[in-house]
Amino acid sequence: MKVVVNVKLKAGVLDPQGKAVEHALSSLGFEGVNSVRVGKQIVLDIDESDKDTLKKNVESMCEDLLANTVIEEYEIVL
Amino acid sequence: MKVAIINFPGTNCERDTQYAFEKLGYKTEIIWHKEESINADLIVLPGGFSHGDYLRTAAIAKFSPIMKAVVVHAKKGGYILGICNGFQMLLELKLLDGAMNRNLSLSFISKYHHLKVVSADNKFLSCCKKDEILNIPIAHGEGNYYIDSYNLNKMYDKGQILLKYCDENGAYENPNGSVDAIAGICDKDKKIFGLMPHPERAIEAELGGVDGARVLKGFIC
């Protein structure tokens, strides 16, 4: 089954990449962009059909490796 | 005083680190990350790009077999020094508090930088004096240290903030966006020290400076 994990910096943690994109958009003339946050998307294909088990497994993956929960938050999309 | 330097795939400072410690009079050994035991007084996690740093700096290194022995050493109160990528590993292992983010400029920064010794009340910096200014190279893309203000204050209270970036006169100058211009911290027992600058690259005049030796010889001065 395919699982998507979205990892992004927590609100309040400065995102240098987001800031750079924000400046670039502004200098290209795109108006009205209040802020930009850049994250990463990790797409997993896992041999597991039970959704609860799958979610639990992916949560462990996020806590152990995929995100650094000191500064990042994650969202699991089944 | 025996020093074990751990070598991960992607590490590129293990030999410089070994050379520096040997030159200062320590006995050293380089240990491959797949080993499972360490017999040393000080473990050094050197700089580089462990496992390629592909996901996040040092995120994968914490699963290397040797890390179980590193954590056991830490729990027994042994000394650990993490330089650059090694500092990032100590954060990922949660042996030190906080996390590392990309440099504010997004650029990889490689240059000599001045540092102020905020606290010398620990074994690592026992050859330095409080408020002393050192000049040691930095070389990193993710040295933007982050910790929330509550935990930052706790660290100040316990003397865990050891080095800050500054200019040659000691005024704080921040190359990477780190909270409070922090360049190096230790744990509450002052046995585990992580810093972004590379002291092993500043131990001979031919390398451009000798201030790094003052940081590395803390155990024998």
Side-chain angles (χ1 to χ4, degrees):
Chain A
M1 220 177 140
K2 231 170 212 174
V3 184
V4 175
V5 176
N6 294 312
V7 181
K8 62 177 182 183
L9 287 166
K10 286 180 180 173
V13 178
L14 187 68
D15 174 5
Q17 215 180 346
K19 279 274 168 233
V21 175
E22 193 180 312
H23 288 142
L25 286 173
S26 160
S27 55
L28 286 169
F30 292 101
E31 287 170 11
V33 180
N34 294 320
S35 78
V36 179
R37 307 283 286 175
V38 175
K40 57 191 151 195
Q41 186 176 70
I42 302 166
V43 181
L44 307 149
D45 188 359
I46 303 176
D47 287 334
E48 175 60 62
S49 49
D50 181 69
K51 278 201 171 182
D52 288 343
T53 311
L54 189 64
K55 192 162 182 225
K56 214 176 261 179
N57 287 349
V58 177
E59 255 168 21
S60 299
M61 293 177 200
C62 290
E63 293 288 332
D64 287 352
L65 176 68
L66 300 180
N68 179 338
T69 53
V70 177
I71 51 170
E72 291 175 328
E73 58 191 15
Y74 59 86
E75 169 200 33
I76 299 168
V77 185
L78 295 178
Chain B
M1 187 76 197
K2 202 173 151 202
V3 179
I5 300 155
I6 315 298
N7 187 12
F8 300 82
T11 297
N12 59 18
C13 297
E14 76 279 12
R15 288 187 195 174
D16 309 47
T17 306
Q18 181 174 45
Y19 175 82
F21 274 104
E22 293 266 341
K23 185 149 180 95
L24 294 170
Y26 293 86
K27 282 194 180 123
T28 69
E29 182 187 9
I30 291 179
I31 297 180
W32 182 237
H33 77 118
K34 288 202 169 167
E35 298 289 321
E36 290 179 357
S37 66
I38 305 169
N39 177 20
D41 306 299
L42 169 67
I43 294 176
V44 181
L45 302 169
F49 300 85
S50 54
H51 298 270
D53 279 349
Y54 296 122
L55 175 69
R56 263 191 331 272
T57 51
I60 297 170
K62 70 178 170 212
F63 298 104
S64 279
I66 198 71
M67 281 310 196
K68 281 191 183 139
V70 172
V71 172
V72 167
H73 181 85
K75 300 294 176 211
K76 282 198 295 197
Y79 287 102
I80 304 177
L81 170 65
I83 301 169
C84 199
N85 195 230
F87 182 12
Q88 293 160 340
M89 284 179 207
L90 292 172
L91 296 171
E92 285 284 336
L93 281 166
K94 296 197 167 28
L95 290 176
L96 291 177
D97 296 328
M100 213 52 93
N101 199 350
R102 283 197 188 201
N103 291 348
L104 201 57
S105 63
L106 294 172
S107 303
F108 189 96
I109 306 166
S110 178
K111 62 176 182 180
Y112 264 82
H113 206 291
H114 290 94
L115 304 166
K116 189 185 265 189
V117 177
V118 180
S119 172
D121 178 25
N122 60 82
K123 195 74 187 151
F124 296 98
L125 298 179
S126 58
C127 297
C128 303
K129 293 194 184 80
K130 185 180 178 331
D131 294 332
E132 183 177 355
I133 297 166
L134 305 171
N135 195 16
I136 294 178
I138 56 172
H140 57 250
E142 295 197 24
N144 181 354
Y145 176 73
Y146 176 83
I147 189 160
D148 61 55
S149 54
Y150 173 76
N151 286 304
L152 177 67
N153 288 332
K154 278 208 306 196
M155 286 176 70
Y156 273 116
D157 289 344
K158 291 180 182 161
Q160 290 175 250
I161 308 298
L162 302 192
L163 295 171
K164 285 190 183 190
Y165 300 105
C166 65
D167 67 15
E168 57 190 8
N169 301 312
Y172 292 124
E173 188 181 79
N174 198 335
N176 54 29
S178 283
V179 166
D180 270 11
I182 288 170
I185 59 168
C186 67
D187 70 318
K188 61 179 171 35
D189 298 324
K190 302 179 182 181
K191 295 288 185 74
I192 303 172
F193 175 28
L195 77 167
M196 286 314 290
H198 285 269
E200 80 281 9
R201 295 186 187 176
I203 54 142
E204 289 171 313
E206 289 88 339
L207 296 172
V210 295
D211 287 354
R214 299 174 69 76
V215 173
L216 297 184
K217 67 183 183 188
F219 290 89
I220 49 173
C221 78

Short mmCIF file of all heavy atoms in Angstrom, two decimals, chain B residues 31 82 109 134 136 159 181 202:
data_model
loop_
_atom_site.label_atom_id
_atom_site.label_comp_id
_atom_site.label_asym_id
_atom_site.label_seq_id
_atom_site.Cartn_x
_atom_site.Cartn_y
_atom_site.Cartn_z
N ILE B 31 37.98 3.43 14.58
CA ILE B 31 37.09 2.26 14.67
C ILE B 31 35.99 2.37 13.61
O ILE B 31 35.29 3.39 13.53
CB ILE B 31 36.46 2.18 16.08
CG1 ILE B 31 37.57 1.98 17.12
CG2 ILE B 31 35.44 1.06 16.16
CD1 ILE B 31 37.07 1.88 18.54
N GLY B 82 31.95 15.41 19.81
CA GLY B 82 31.40 15.36 18.45
C GLY B 82 31.78 16.63 17.71
O GLY B 82 31.46 17.73 18.15
N ILE B 109 29.42 27.10 4.36
CA ILE B 109 30.42 28.09 4.80
C ILE B 109 31.70 27.37 5.19
O ILE B 109 31.67 26.43 5.99
CB ILE B 109 29.92 28.88 6.03
CG1 ILE B 109 28.55 29.50 5.76
CG2 ILE B 109 30.93 29.95 6.42
CD1 ILE B 109 27.86 29.99 7.02
N LEU B 134 39.14 32.37 20.38
CA LEU B 134 39.89 31.41 19.58
C LEU B 134 39.59 31.66 18.11
O LEU B 134 38.56 32.26 17.77
CB LEU B 134 39.45 29.98 19.94
CG LEU B 134 39.52 29.56 21.42
CD1 LEU B 134 38.84 28.21 21.61
CD2 LEU B 134 40.96 29.50 21.88
N ILE B 136 39.26 29.32 14.79
CA ILE B 136 39.21 27.92 14.36
C ILE B 136 38.32 27.81 13.12
O ILE B 136 37.28 28.48 13.05
CB ILE B 136 38.66 27.04 15.52
CG1 ILE B 136 39.64 27.04 16.69
CG2 ILE B 136 38.39 25.61 15.06
CD1 ILE B 136 39.19 26.26 17.90
N GLY B 159 25.60 25.96 32.69
CA GLY B 159 26.93 26.12 32.09
C GLY B 159 27.16 25.21 30.90
O GLY B 159 28.29 24.80 30.64
N ALA B 181 24.00 32.68 18.51
CA ALA B 181 25.34 32.51 17.91
C ALA B 181 26.11 31.34 18.53
O ALA B 181 27.34 31.36 18.63
CB ALA B 181 26.16 33.79 17.98
N ALA B 202 43.23 23.15 13.09
CA ALA B 202 44.00 24.33 13.53
C ALA B 202 44.93 23.93 14.65
O ALA B 202 44.81 24.39 15.78
CB ALA B 202 43.04 25.44 13.97
#
